[in-house]
Amino acid sequence: MLRTEYRPHPINNGTSPRIPKRQKGPLFSLFFHVKHILLKLTRKPRYFWCFLTESRLEENFRKTPKSSYANSYLHFHFPCGDGESSSVPTMAKSPVEVKLIPIEATPENFAEYGQVIEASRDGAGFGPNDAQLDLSRGIPRFYIMRIRDTPFDFSVLTHHASVTQCLGSIGGHVWYLGVAKPTLIEDGDDGKMVDKLKSRSGHLYAPPAVEEIRIFRVSGPKFIKLNHGTWHVGPLFSDSYMDFYNLELSNTNAVDRTTYDFIKNKGVTIRVDPNDVDTSSS
């Protein structure tokens, strides 16, 4: 039962009662909470359908043949607020997460980005299966670098326009490398490019496309040679640290290191699942 109280009227010092004020009871609290929920659903409709949309995409993803999505988009994750997730880009407040499946690197499937160099017999002559190097624009530097704690998510890719780079694991351990095809703009080609950027070293390039990013798994006694301008990130690995030999120029990282940030420019971050490797393309 609702109770009422009388308060003195501010003008006649209480000689006449003011309109009684009802206290908030349990029904009022229930009404307030229901109203709050309805307003939330009305103003932010993503709360209404984000789970439904997510479940539909996951179902379609499971039905998709693996060969059709290897090296490409696997799943888009859009934060939906309050710990929920949505798959509608217009509702995203955080970077879009693109998940990629690695493939085993071979000389054939890596040809657009560089070379996979494997062991050859002792005494064999120089040929096309050897690393085709260009170290002519500076002093070559061959050294061992120790890398620690590399995460399997990234958003920044790098390229070197003036040198071919070689990377290999000491001991033949398993590691991963993210790459995208070179987008260097050569003389006479700049008029054909709509989006063109200028690096600190002065060369022109087009921004890489997120759908062009591939993740390669490298295992055993082999190393990777990257062509001029190949976008790359890595080495990536699961161990706490690994040692790699690296062949580049003495000033590569100082004067020939061009980066592109996908979070800053496209609102995208990439995640790699090292436990899921596609072998159909190897």
Side-chain angles (χ1 to χ4, degrees):
M1 182 176 179
L2 299 179
R3 294 178 296 176
T4 61
E5 62 176 348
Y6 294 94
R7 296 183 179 179
H9 195 277
I11 298 179
N12 57 14
N13 296 324
T15 55
S16 61
R18 62 175 297 180
I19 299 174
K21 180 180 180 181
R22 296 184 178 182
Q23 293 183 346
K24 298 180 177 65
L27 292 178
F28 180 87
S29 299
L30 177 62
F31 170 77
F32 177 80
H33 289 296
V34 171
K35 179 182 177 182
H36 176 73
I37 294 174
L38 291 176
L39 286 174
K40 190 175 184 181
L41 291 175
T42 303
R43 295 175 181 175
K44 299 182 179 180
R46 63 176 180 271
Y47 291 96
F48 215 57
W49 41 253
C50 64
F51 289 112
L52 297 178
T53 308
E54 189 79 1
S55 61
R56 292 194 198 101
L57 287 180
E58 293 295 340
E59 182 179 358
N60 293 335
F61 168 69
R62 287 192 293 269
K63 294 179 181 178
T64 304
K66 190 173 184 180
S67 59
S68 66
Y69 61 73
N71 315 327
S72 187
Y73 295 98
L74 294 191
H75 175 64
F76 292 91
H77 176 78
F78 296 88
C80 190
D82 295 348
E84 300 164 65
S85 61
S86 171
S87 299
V88 180
T90 56
M91 295 299 176
K93 289 186 177 181
S94 297
V96 180
E97 183 180 272
V98 179
K99 295 183 181 180
L100 300 180
I101 288 181
I103 61 174
E104 190 71 28
T106 67
E108 294 74 23
N109 62 23
F110 199 76
E112 292 184 298
Y113 317 100
Q115 293 177 272
V116 176
I117 307 300
E118 300 174 309
S120 59
R121 65 175 179 84
D122 185 27
F126 179 79
N129 293 329
D130 294 301
Q132 308 298 309
L133 305 176
D134 181 6
L135 304 170
S136 62
R137 305 183 192 181
I139 301 173
R141 183 190 182 196
F142 183 60
Y143 65 103
I144 297 174
M145 59 181 183
R146 175 163 294 181
I147 305 177
R148 298 182 180 273
D149 302 324
T150 59
F152 280 96
D153 57 329
F154 59 88
S155 62
V156 177
L157 266 65
T158 302
H159 79 235
H160 310 302
S162 301
V163 65
T164 56
Q165 183 181 15
C166 293
L167 292 167
S169 165
I170 295 180
H173 302 290
V174 174
W175 56 287
Y176 300 83
L177 185 69
V179 294
K181 289 184 291 186
T183 57
L184 299 177
I185 300 176
E186 305 293 341
D187 294 339
D189 293 337
D190 54 340
K192 302 176 183 178
M193 310 299 282
V194 177
D195 297 326
K196 58 181 179 180
L197 303 172
K198 188 173 184 179
S199 69
R200 292 185 303 171
S201 58
H203 68 271
L204 298 177
Y205 66 95
V210 66
E211 60 268 21
E212 294 288 339
I213 300 175
R214 305 290 184 263
I215 303 297
F216 286 93
R217 180 180 184 267
V218 185
S219 60
K222 62 184 70 170
F223 69 89
I224 296 294
K225 187 218 82 175
L226 297 173
N227 290 336
H228 293 87
T230 294
W231 293 99
H232 59 279
V233 59
L236 310 173
F237 48 86
S238 301
D239 296 337
S240 59
Y241 75 91
M242 283 180 63
D243 294 334
F244 292 84
Y245 54 84
N246 187 6
L247 175 61
E248 54 188 7
L249 296 181
S250 60
N251 60 353
T252 293
N253 287 323
V255 301
D256 187 25
R257 186 174 185 272
T258 303
T259 61
Y260 187 83
D261 191 331
F262 277 97
I263 285 185
K264 179 181 178 180
N265 295 286
K266 302 293 184 181
V268 172
T269 183
I270 297 93
R271 177 173 292 275
V272 181
D273 184 0
N275 298 316
D276 191 1
V277 179
D278 176 41
T279 58
S280 61
S281 301
S282 59

